[in-house]
Amino acid sequence: MGARIHRTLLAASALERLPRVADADTGLLVTDYRSADPELLARTEVLFTHWGSPLLDEDALGRLPALKAVVHAAGSVKQHVTPAVWERGIAVSSAAAANALPVAEFTLAAILFANKRVLESARRYRREQAAYELLPHFAGHGNYRRTVGIVGASRVGRRVIELLRPFDLDVLLYDPYVGPDEAAALGVRPLPLAEVVAHGDVVSIHAPELPGTRRMFDAALLARLADGATLINTARGSLVDTGALVAELRTGRIHAVIDVTDPDEPPAGSALYTLPNVLLTPHIAGSLGNELTRMAHWAVDEVERYAHGHPFAHGVGPQELSRSA
């Protein structure tokens, strides 16, 4: 993993359980397999990884002849697990399900705030520094019988759907892999993407980053958002055409809650920083602070399962990666 996340996990005592379930030195950090102790690598059976992990390509695996498993204490493994890992039959686990929890919680808050026009009201109150007529301002707003469109029944998408159940909201879903029976079990109404976007008072993106999903929210799809609708993106910035989104936002007819962008950091002077109908955050929906400890505990649980000869509870395979982030 990267040095910064390693220091953070140590400071939070997130790794203190690991030596109890494995022969592990939590103070040891490998950031480059070529410069690591070759004798140590040669007898390593399990890699415990996190953000910033070096690539596990054929060269790296050649230095890890005893490697049997990779346990990732974070979300996607796409940044370091290569096809060579699957070819060698190495088991892989991810704490993506743990990382999905805070993203879903952030999304729930964004949905409820969007329908209530909380940010817009706060800006106006701060600007005027005086009470204003609430009933005219809130006409047509609120969280009763509003329609929420979920794009992607991913781990996060499914958790958002679950969190929305106690509220008086109608939930639509677009996911090409979810059939009518599964949608009924989830308690959502499945519709084509264009219809979900057109009917949603709030549309929240939870699709994976794949070649076929790049800029799926293009100018034509964004134009289908209803006047006053809010687009939420906590998935990947590449799923939205940033230029087309900014153009639509400039008209003032829609709102956006954007936690991920393409590029990862909008350039200085980007309208996303200043448009009044945008809440822009620097990728904070995922695990941060003490939420990192939860991911670490999930990963240590997986190491413990491996040590007892049990299969991973959160195993990842190549087929799953073709449809997930």
Side-chain angles (χ1 to χ4, degrees), residues 96 150 173 203 223 256 275 284 304:
I150 302 295
L173 173 68
V203 176
L275 282 167
I284 65 169
E304 187 169 22

Side-chain angles (χ1 to χ4, degrees), residues 78 151-154 174-177 193 205-219 221-222 231 233 235-242 260 262 320-325:
K78 285 186 175 180
V151 178
S154 60
Y174 167 73
D175 190 306
Y177 299 103
L193 177 60
I205 305 173
H206 303 290
E209 184 179 42
L210 302 170
T213 60
R214 180 168 179 78
R215 296 188 177 178
M216 64 187 298
F217 277 78
D218 57 12
L221 190 59
L222 292 168
L231 180 70
N233 189 8
R236 291 290 186 268
S238 66
L239 304 184
V240 178
D241 183 328
T242 302
V260 288
D262 183 23
E320 181 184 351
L321 283 191
S322 68
R323 293 169 43 182
S324 64

Side-chain angles (χ1 to χ4, degrees), residues 59 75 104 112 263 287 300:
D59 178 73
L112 298 178
S287 296
V300 173

